Amino acid sequence: MVYADPNISNDRPVIRQLDDAAINRIAAGEVVERPASAVKELVENAIDAGAKRIAVEVADGGKTLIRVTDDGCGIAAEDLPLALSRHATSKIDGSDLLNIHTFGFRGEALPSLGAVGRLTITSRVPGSEAAKIHVAGGKVEAVKPAALRTGTVVELRDLFYATPARLKFMRTDRAEAQAISDIVKRLAMAEPAIAFTLRDVSGGGEGRVTFRADRENGDLFDALHARLARILGREFAENALQIDATREGLRLYGYAALPTYSRGAAVAQYLFVNGRPVRDKMLTGALRAAYFDFLSRDRHPAAALFIDCDPTLVDVNVHPAKSEVRFRDPGLARGLIVSSLRHALAEAGHRASSTVANATLGAMRPEPAPAAPARVYQMDRPSPMARQAAYRAQSPGFAELSQNYSGRIVEPAPEVAPLEEPQDLPLGAARGQVHENYIIAQTADGMVIVDQHAAHERLVYEKLKRQMAENGVAAQALLIPEIVDLTEGDCARLMAVADDLARFGLTIEPFGGGAVAVRETPAILGEVDARAMILDILDELADQGESQTVQARIEAILSRVACHGSVRSGRRMRAEEMNALLREMEATPHSGQCNHGRPTYVELKLSDIERLFGRS
Ligand SMILES: Nc1ncnc2c1ncn2[C@@H]1O[C@H](COP(=O)(O)OP(=O)(O)OP(=O)(O)O)[C@@H](O)[C@H]1O
Ligand SMILES: [Mg+2]
């Protein structure tokens, strides 16, 4: 055969062994994609070395200089050349690639960095003199004596100078600096007991500290909470629920924010597996699923969650940057996230929105309000005693309640509602209604403003869901079963969840040759395109290992039904009706926010009101 390509000779292609420098440059392409990945490798090495303080300095977005200084165990002078050779590591012995307790395990990072930049490692182990080694573009120099008190300093200059093609792909200094800051913060979240500083030394000199987190003390949760407050801000910390749950050897802990502290994009989601920051579709999918019921589609939950387990239950060796993991039992991890977050959110469902209150007060005050981030609502939890009292309080039957609301004409509300004792009632006693949508109630130490439409919508929705959980979802038989052709594999995947689907009113059977027959669909959905629904479910199964399509659609319908079946704003309510609504809210989970993640009520403390009038 004759080769058409003029660059390839007519001779037989020759197979050559590449030299080490070329091998390292190729490996570097996978390990170091940009300055931030170099920072990640060096900081991870420092953490692995047991450092208590880690300082990162960068210049020009890390392109010209990255320097990481730590006070860890150090590298012995005679080991320095070894640290720079490929597949040399002190962290595993190679016998068990599934049992990894450190960030590093491949022995690739330093040789890769030395192949594409100018790398100097200076280090000292206790009881010996310090030494340094230099490598540039893969050429290693001899070890020399150096001066250093303790730990290790790794300096990387002119990253990618040896691979100009890669240099062209660098983004602006600012973008690279941002990525570096992001990676340092992620690692800092995972290690609250280590002090971190990040300094921008562009232009030489001392430079400027761009991030700093001191060592946090206290127990796991206190330290983590303080570190998260430092990195994600006070509002996150104030709105965060503590999560701690264990199931079959998997422990999930961390903090997840209330639905009313949500974001417009998935930017505040931090997930860690055995302390390693990961970006994992399955895990973020589980997070989304947990909040599914509380947030509208365009809002995203904020959370910092850690999964710890025996290293053998998760494979970290699936991605060159180790940012993806594979659980031996993905369903277990997903189920743990979904159920423990839902549980925590349900528990917090009664928290009143008192930062909405802060925002409200800020808006009312004549002086400029403190710059509060948009859409951050802090919620304040009524005392357990008050909650118990609320549960004990007689609340009218729900059916009766909704009947009262369903468009019956009632006499206009009296200007001032009859006095009811507000003691012990978290949402207080109704005192009046303004603008035909807002109930004003007096509580023991302040007042509450309720958006009656939002509140009622949530109550109806919760009620419908409860009914569905109790009685199951009614299924409607199709006159002619719809046959959907699939591959054998897809068919098997679908049949594996057939029982779950049946619970939601979707009945399917194998039809032979990879096809399935859809016999029944959920009645509440009305007429559905069964085929499209099946394909959606399969997509979701492939994506997340579990499908919520049917449930999601049913819940969306319930939510719409609830919206239409609720008291519209613009309807006057009698005092008893208002009080009944308040009591019902107290007794209903998740009633602190409506189906779109907006608060249903705002609480103002008397002290806040007094401050408004300059009385305190
Ligand atoms: N900051 C440091 N302090 C002490 N020892 C270090 C430090 N950085 C690197 N080392 C030593 O050098 C070795 C090689 O580091 P390198 O990052 O190349 O590989 P690794 O961390 O073992 O694995 P990986 O390639 O997965 O990061 C490490 O195993 C460790 O013994
Ligand atoms: Mg390493």
Side-chain angles (χ1 to χ4, degrees), residues 45 49 70 75 89-91 104-110 152 322:
N45 278 349
D70 70 58
I75 308 171
T89 177
S90 59
K91 299 172 190 176
F105 56 84
R106 308 156 306 184
E108 292 223 332
L110 293 179
T152 305
K322 305 167 188 153

Side-chain angles (χ1 to χ4, degrees), residues 253-269:
Y253 68 92
Y255 288 90
L258 287 163
T260 39
Y261 178 97
S262 58
R263 309 286 300 260
V267 288
Q269 300 179 352

Side-chain angles (χ1 to χ4, degrees), residues 31 41-42 44-50 68 70 72-75 79 82-85 88-92 102-112 121 123 151-154 322:
V31 176
E41 294 297 337
L42 298 179
E44 286 183 351
N45 278 349
I47 297 173
D48 281 346
V68 176
D70 70 58
C73 64
I75 308 171
D79 282 349
L82 212 49
L84 287 178
S85 56
T89 177
S90 59
K91 299 172 190 176
I92 57 169
T102 46
F103 281 111
F105 56 84
R106 308 156 306 184
E108 292 223 332
L110 293 179
S112 298
I121 308 174
S123 195
T152 305
V153 181
V154 182
K322 305 167 188 153

Side-chain angles (χ1 to χ4, degrees), residues 398-414:
F398 191 87
E400 197 185 304
L401 184 75
S402 2
Q403 257 170 26
N404 276 345
Y405 293 137
S406 53
R408 229 180 64 205
I409 312 285
V410 289
E411 60 268 39

Side-chain angles (χ1 to χ4, degrees), residues 8-29:
I8 300 176
S9 74
N10 285 347
D11 301 338
R12 224 162 24 86
V14 184
I15 300 177
R16 300 185 196 84
Q17 182 68 51
L18 294 177
D19 64 17
D20 278 354
I23 293 171
N24 283 339
R25 275 204 299 276
I26 293 168

Side-chain angles (χ1 to χ4, degrees), residues 358-371 608 611-614 616:
N358 286 344
T360 316
L361 287 167
M364 288 191 214
R365 244 177 243 131
E367 73 264 32
D608 291 332
R611 256 194 303 148
L612 260 184
F613 291 96
S616 57

